Amino acid sequence: MPKSRVRKKKVYTPPTESNPAAMARARKRRPSSRWVPITALVLIVAGIAWLVTYYMTQGQYPIAAWTFWNLAAGFGLLVVSLGVLTQWR
């Protein structure tokens, strides 16, 4: 019976970067400013405080005319804080 050939493995060569400008931009990314985590923390605390105030006062505060829109405002602050946190490096 004939013997099968042994396959040689190819030597891995990493791909060359086709866009050197993109690599230069990636290297230049600096840490975010101090305002980013501070703003996110303030928005989180404000959103939680808004919701807790709404529930504890049975809808009388922060703005009684908004009724259930107070929930949207509180959760909206939390969602905006998540958007700010995406900019944190």
Side-chain angles (χ1 to χ4, degrees):
M1 175 171 258
K3 187 176 180 184
S4 64
R5 291 189 209 175
V6 177
R7 295 182 197 166
K8 293 182 180 179
K9 292 184 179 180
K10 293 182 181 180
V11 177
Y12 175 75
T13 56
T16 58
E17 182 60 41
S18 60
N19 190 357
M23 292 227 1
R25 264 184 288 151
R27 281 190 217 124
K28 289 182 183 179
R29 296 185 82 181
R30 297 184 317 240
S32 59
S33 300
R34 288 187 80 114
W35 67 268
V36 174
I38 293 170
T39 304
L41 185 64
V42 167
L43 288 170
I44 290 170
V45 170
I48 291 172
W50 191 289
L51 293 172
V52 168
T53 303
Y54 176 73
Y55 278 114
M56 296 298 285
T57 62
Q58 297 176 353
Q60 297 300 315
Y61 292 102
I63 302 173
W66 284 10
T67 61
F68 292 112
W69 284 104
N70 282 305
L71 293 174
F75 284 114
L77 288 170
L78 293 174
V79 169
V80 170
S81 71
L82 289 175
V84 172
L85 283 174
T86 61
Q87 302 302 314
W88 191 16
R89 286 185 229 124

